[in-house]
Amino acid sequence: MLVGEPGRGGALVALGTMLLDRGDAAGGLTHLERALRVNPEDLAALSLAGIAAEEGGRLARAARHLRRFLGLRPGEASTWHNFGNILRKSHRRLGAVAAYRRALAGTPAFIETLHNLGVMALDPSSSAEENQAGGSAQRHLRRALALAPDHVGIWVTIADEALGAEALDLAARYLRRTLALRAFWGEGHRRLARVAQRAERPTEAGACFRRALALDPADAETIDSLGAVAAARNLTQGLPWFDRAIAIQPDYAEALSNRGLARQEADLIALALRDLRAAIALLPGFAPGINNFGNLCTGQRWHMPAVAYYRRALALVPLFAEALSNRGNSLRELGQLADARKDHRRSLALKPSSQDTLLNLGIVVSDLHEPDYGVLCFDRAEAIRRPDPHVGWNRSLSLLLRGDYERGFIDYECRWGRRGIAKPEAVAPAWTGEPLAGRRILLYGEQGIGDALQFARFIPDVVARGGRVVLRTEAPLRRLFDRIPGVEDVVARGERTPAVDLECPLLSVPRILGTKLESLPAPAAYLEVDPVAVAAWTERLAGVPRPRIGICWRGNPIFPGEAL
């Protein structure tokens, strides 16, 4: 009937509207444009044709229909708003701003238009000309919020604005207001959790992610995020969460990458490699996954492949601060200290408040014999958040390197808080420097043979304070240390320790004594070799011409700095 009676424009509009309502944007647009051929000034057909074209992704046709509508009825604020939306989608941002301003000229209290202008002004890709034309984001958003104080979308936008300005507490407050209006909005709880993560409030982040999970128990992203929160405390604690996320979504690259790191921590290297390779295969352009693969290589001391993976991640995301600092760590292990320093400085420029990067930079510049710069880095790192034993211990090395023994040995006590370093079980109360008055004191070595040899110089000072010294050390040093004056007994590590009144780690003695560079004990000889051994070696070397030079050709193979 319609084909035979093309003049029935109203019927064409009705049919086009029906098709549009049913989700058939293309069919609706066809009939609406037929109606416009019957009556080019049919306002309903023009408006609906604009909507149908927009829904069908034909933005140029949508803009043409709405422009014709506005030529006939220029005061229609809602159409100016819709026209602005289409121009914005078409990346014609200045035109969109102009359209929104025309909408506000007709209806100053148009909430959605104010909101959209605020969102556009917050977009970091906006040009100065666009921002000048659009006006202040805060002004638009505050006006919209005054008109609609319960508008969830506006509160979310204002929270995003605060987040972009690193005002994390403010962003959290706005998101809580949003959730007070819409308590069962899972994405709102996830957003609040991410803010808590950035603010380093893991307990709060975990609680928010759990609320999101209660609303959608099968959401793999939320489960993976809970794994990340658990892994921040201990990587292996994230494993059950990552397993659960992957069971729901086997091709979830981010969860595979996270599980790979957790498996590496659990020393499941083959499984970790499989996960990380799978993550990269699923998302070849996933820079964090490639960075994680580099981390696995670093953990296995495969530093050259690690550098290659970090370089690959940086080719994808040149401003990837973590990958820069990670590459710097591997370059340091390869002895390329100048390049390592360069990477850490670039990373720090991108994230000035990264405690890890400040720590890494401090270590490298100390390696480069710039201890003052190192101390500055460690001080800045410690000021960012609570004291970290790794920061304090590395600062102690820089302080000692520059001769500040008093502060250096105080910081050196941080060694006990470092990962994997456990203080031996106490067998007696700790000595704090009080007079010993004939009491027996256990001095024990805790690290390598070289440290024990160096710090044995302090044993005579302990004897001078009235101590009867029992020394616990490595078995190869037993015969040598037996000859130190004042040492009553030497026991090898692992042997039964005799009864003592007090104890002290050998490397803590200089702190207790208040040792400074100028008061460092430097006796002519504080170790005496067994004369029988001297005689035996004299006879053995009798035929070797002088000069005779002894070379220590190997240290502890498990010590990272052995090559030095």
Side-chain angles (χ1 to χ4, degrees), residues 315-330:
L316 292 165
V317 183
L319 302 182
F320 194 167
E322 289 80 3
L324 279 166
S325 191
N326 289 338
R327 185 174 68 178
N329 290 339
S330 284

Side-chain angles (χ1 to χ4, degrees), residues 43-65:
L43 293 175
L46 284 168
S47 179
L48 289 166
I51 293 170
E54 180 185 3
E55 289 187 4
R58 301 177 178 183
L59 299 180
R61 284 167 77 172
R64 186 172 70 244
H65 290 311

Side-chain angles (χ1 to χ4, degrees), residues 492-510:
R493 191 192 299 259
E495 294 181 349
R496 188 182 67 83
T497 302
V500 293
D501 302 299
L502 297 165
E503 69 172 29
C504 181
L506 193 56
L507 273 63
S508 292
V509 172

Side-chain angles (χ1 to χ4, degrees), residues 78 181 204 496:
S78 61
L181 297 168
E204 180 185 339
R496 188 182 67 83

Side-chain angles (χ1 to χ4, degrees), residues 81 85 88 100 111-121 141:
H81 174 83
N85 289 344
R88 184 178 163 199
Y100 288 143
I111 296 165
E112 295 301 333
T113 303
L114 288 166
H115 184 199
N116 286 358
L117 277 170
V119 170
M120 287 187 68
L141 294 171

Side-chain angles (χ1 to χ4, degrees), residues 172 191-206 208:
R191 284 171 177 255
L192 185 56
R194 293 185 195 109
V195 172
Q197 280 182 306
R198 284 177 63 170
E200 297 184 359
R201 298 194 291 263
T203 303
E204 180 185 339
C208 292

Side-chain angles (χ1 to χ4, degrees), residues 233-527:
R233 295 188 296 271
N234 183 316
L235 268 171
T236 57
Q237 291 181 15
L239 266 174
W241 293 102
F242 301 139
D243 286 342
R244 185 174 161 189
I246 293 163
I248 292 170
Q249 188 176 333
D251 61 349
Y252 191 177
E254 290 86 346
L256 284 164
S257 183
N258 288 335
R259 188 172 70 177
L261 284 186
R263 282 176 160 175
Q264 177 192 357
E265 181 69 12
D267 206 28
L268 302 170
I269 303 304
L271 291 175
L273 281 167
R274 189 177 72 185
D275 277 346
L276 291 168
R277 286 194 178 110
I280 295 173
L282 286 165
L283 283 179
F286 181 44
I290 297 168
N291 175 67
N292 284 349
F293 204 107
N295 290 342
L296 183 143
C297 293
T298 297
Q300 299 304 302
R301 303 187 63 77
W302 305 335
H303 295 297
M304 291 186 70
V307 168
Y309 277 103
Y310 295 137
R311 188 176 293 121
R312 183 174 160 189
L314 288 163
L316 292 165
V317 183
L319 302 182
F320 194 167
E322 289 80 3
L324 279 166
S325 191
N326 289 338
R327 185 174 68 178
N329 290 339
S330 284
L331 289 171
R332 173 181 177 257
E333 295 295 336
L334 292 169
Q336 300 176 34
L337 298 180
D339 288 336
R341 170 179 171 156
K342 189 184 303 181
D343 272 352
H344 290 314
R345 285 173 64 92
R346 285 178 60 198
S347 178
L348 196 62
L350 294 168
K351 284 196 171 182
S353 60
S354 171
Q355 187 183 52
D356 289 340
T357 303
L358 282 163
L359 172 62
N360 294 336
L361 178 60
I363 292 170
V364 168
V365 297
S366 294
D367 289 345
L368 288 165
H369 304 288
E370 299 179 39
D372 291 341
Y373 190 2
V375 170
L376 177 65
C377 292
F378 299 133
D379 285 345
R380 282 183 59 195
E382 192 171 72
I384 288 170
R385 60 175 187 253
R386 64 187 180 280
D388 183 304
H390 292 275
V391 173
W393 182 74
N394 280 288
R395 180 173 56 199
S396 77
L397 303 182
S398 293
L399 289 166
L400 292 170
L401 184 62
R402 76 179 186 186
D404 189 346
Y405 281 15
E406 192 169 18
R407 287 180 59 203
F409 282 122
I410 290 172
D411 265 356
Y412 198 69
E413 292 302 300
C414 291
R415 67 192 183 277
W416 299 118
R418 293 164 59 222
R419 183 179 179 188
I421 305 296
K423 196 169 187 177
E425 185 177 350
V427 298
W431 179 47
T432 58
E434 66 274 18
L436 292 166
R439 287 179 290 177
R440 298 189 87 196
I441 180 170
L442 171 68
L443 301 180
Y444 58 88
E446 62 193 70
Q447 298 185 30
I449 288 176
D451 287 329
L453 289 168
Q454 289 290 340
F455 283 76
R457 72 178 64 237
F458 295 99
I459 294 174
D461 290 318
V462 178
V463 173
R465 294 198 178 201
R468 295 161 54 207
V469 173
V470 174
L471 188 59
R472 187 172 70 206
T473 186
E474 302 294 333
L477 295 176
R478 187 173 195 164
R479 188 170 59 165
L480 180 64
F481 283 178
D482 239 343
R483 304 186 65 81
I484 298 176
V487 173
E488 288 193 355
D489 196 3
V490 179
V491 294
R493 191 192 299 259
E495 294 181 349
R496 188 182 67 83
T497 302
V500 293
D501 302 299
L502 297 165
E503 69 172 29
C504 181
L506 193 56
L507 273 63
S508 292
V509 172
R511 173 185 63 82
I512 292 172
L513 297 176
T515 302
K516 300 179 181 179
L517 181 60
E518 53 271 21
S519 65
L520 182 69
Y526 58 90
L527 296 173

